[in-house]
Amino acid sequence: MRASVLIFLVPAGFATYGGYIYYRLLWLRIQSRHALQHVDEQLNKHHEYIPHLLLAMSGYVVHETWVIERVIEARYRSLAAATKEERMVASTHLSVALHHLFRVSDSHSGISCDEEAMLMNMQVMMCEQKIRVAREYYNQIVQHYNERIERFPHSLCAQLAGFRREALFELPAIPGREFAGMEA
């Protein structure tokens, strides 16, 4: 009687634990997709602000048209990106291009007097901060997911169920850009 109970309970225990592992990995993958959607939402808001920012600053950075062209090109590439990896790279390039625009605009004293330009500058910088936070959250979720996939016994379940590693968002290191206690 005891042997027959053990013969039933041991496989049932393994199956239950395997099911737990599968659903834990599935939950982490779903969380990573939700986090990526949040990054995309923030990027879409960011894309809406950029034309207004360029319009507000266009009178002040006339001599540095290459900076404006670089921001426009980076925004276009970010909007045209089809895959997740392309969006990640394009949004990083957009952040770097905006950083160059901010550095050029900081050298013009007239911008600090223009309320519209300052407001748009502040909104874009706040949006940059929200994107940075969303990227960091995404990276935390994906890093946890990737670690689970590589650890035994999760690695067995991951291979059987087809779970694959996810790419991390590369966070651009942009020094010296602060506003209201926030780093860009």
Side-chain angles (χ1 to χ4, degrees):
M1 176 91 168
R2 286 186 176 181
S4 64
V5 170
L6 283 177
I7 290 174
F8 174 73
L9 287 180
V10 170
F14 280 121
T16 302
Y17 188 63
Y20 166 76
I21 290 172
Y22 173 79
Y23 283 107
R24 180 68 180 160
L25 291 174
L26 186 62
W27 182 81
L28 285 169
R29 185 168 62 186
I30 290 169
Q31 288 297 99
S32 72
R33 289 180 181 163
H34 285 296
L36 185 62
Q37 286 176 346
H38 185 64
V39 171
D40 285 340
E41 289 170 9
Q42 294 302 322
L43 286 172
N44 288 337
K45 288 179 186 176
H46 194 237
H47 293 145
E48 292 173 12
Y49 285 130
I50 291 172
H52 301 292
L53 173 70
L54 293 176
L55 187 62
M57 296 180 119
S58 62
Y60 300 102
V61 290
V62 174
H63 304 322
E64 290 87 3
T65 56
W66 65 271
V67 176
I68 293 176
E69 290 170 1
R70 191 171 175 184
V71 170
I72 291 170
E73 181 182 337
R75 179 180 179 264
Y76 172 75
R77 286 186 180 174
S78 184
L79 287 171
T83 66
K84 176 176 68 172
E85 289 77 17
E86 289 175 356
R87 284 193 313 262
M88 289 178 177
V89 170
S91 68
T92 300
H93 288 166
L94 180 59
S95 294
V96 171
L98 282 170
H99 171 68
H100 288 296
L101 177 67
F102 292 143
R103 297 231 4 192
V104 168
S105 70
D106 286 346
S107 66
H108 293 280
S109 60
I111 291 179
S112 61
C113 298
D114 187 350
E115 287 182 31
E116 182 182 355
M118 286 300 295
L119 176 66
M120 290 311 305
N121 191 349
M122 183 178 74
Q123 286 180 334
V124 169
M125 289 174 62
M126 288 173 60
C127 205
E128 283 275 322
Q129 179 64 20
K130 289 178 182 179
I131 291 169
R132 186 173 206 78
V133 169
R135 284 176 177 169
E136 288 172 357
Y137 177 70
Y138 170 81
N139 282 346
Q140 287 175 351
I141 296 288
V142 168
Q143 186 172 4
H144 187 63
Y145 170 76
N146 288 341
E147 288 171 358
R148 288 281 178 144
I149 286 176
E150 292 175 357
R151 253 191 266 155
F152 181 81
H154 295 80
S155 60
L156 294 176
C157 186
Q159 287 177 352
L160 291 173
F163 289 97
R164 303 281 181 251
R165 288 181 55 82
E166 295 285 332
L168 296 173
F169 240 118
E170 179 183 327
L171 300 175
I174 302 175
R177 188 65 183 156
E178 297 181 10
F179 184 80
M182 297 184 300
E183 292 181 17

